[in-house]
Amino acid sequence: MAWWPIGASLFASSEGSGLFVGLAGTGAAGGIAVTGFEWNATYALLALAWVFVPVYISSGIVTMPEYLQRRFGGQRIRMYLSCLSLLLSIFTKISTDLYSGALFVQVCLGWDLYLSTGLMLAVTGLYTMAGRLLSICWPRPFLFG
């Protein structure tokens, strides 16, 4: 695949209800300083990309756990970082997105918070099981003729 659908997929997958609800609340509480933080984070991420992407490409590495395994040796550090990343993602990103999305549905439709959460989990599960990797990225010939 070309670089731009991959970048668009990464950008789209980082957007969620937690971002919209969380940044709106933080912006209301902190003012314009939140905007400055977000813009500065963009520049920091671009600088990190210019530093680390060439290292990854030259060594043929795809993931951070793989880099740590090659750098420090052994399978334990790779498994540790993989499990830690998965747990942190579940307890921070996914739970926050579920709660804020359910809160949004509760406010808009007046549904119960638990019903909204269960409905979002069911729809996401069905979408993921039905689409598998095709729900993440489409093969190039299908998308571009």
Side-chain angles (χ1 to χ4, degrees), residues 11-71:
F11 177 76
S13 64
S14 70
E15 306 299 317
S17 57
L19 180 85
F20 292 115
V21 173
L23 282 180
T26 306
I32 199 162
V34 176
T35 305
F37 176 78
E38 291 295 323
W39 278 104
N40 287 332
T42 302
Y43 298 130
L45 288 173
L46 286 173
L48 285 172
W50 281 103
V51 171
F52 285 108
V53 168
V55 173
Y56 282 178
I57 290 173
S58 67
S59 60
I61 291 174
V62 179
T63 64
M64 184 67 180
E66 185 180 3
Y67 173 75
L68 288 177
Q69 179 186 12
R70 286 195 189 174
R71 173 72 171 91

Side-chain angles (χ1 to χ4, degrees), residues 104-126:
F104 178 78
V105 170
Q106 181 188 27
V107 168
C108 288
L109 301 177
W111 293 359
D112 182 49
L113 191 66
Y114 294 109
L115 174 66
S116 303
T117 305
L119 184 65
M120 283 195 311
L121 281 171
V123 168
T124 304
L126 287 172

Side-chain angles (χ1 to χ4, degrees), residues 64-83:
M64 184 67 180
E66 185 180 3
Y67 173 75
L68 288 177
Q69 179 186 12
R70 286 195 189 174
R71 173 72 171 91
F72 298 109
Q75 184 73 13
R76 286 188 318 174
I77 193 161
R78 181 178 185 171
M79 290 303 297
Y80 174 74
L81 184 63
S82 298
C83 292

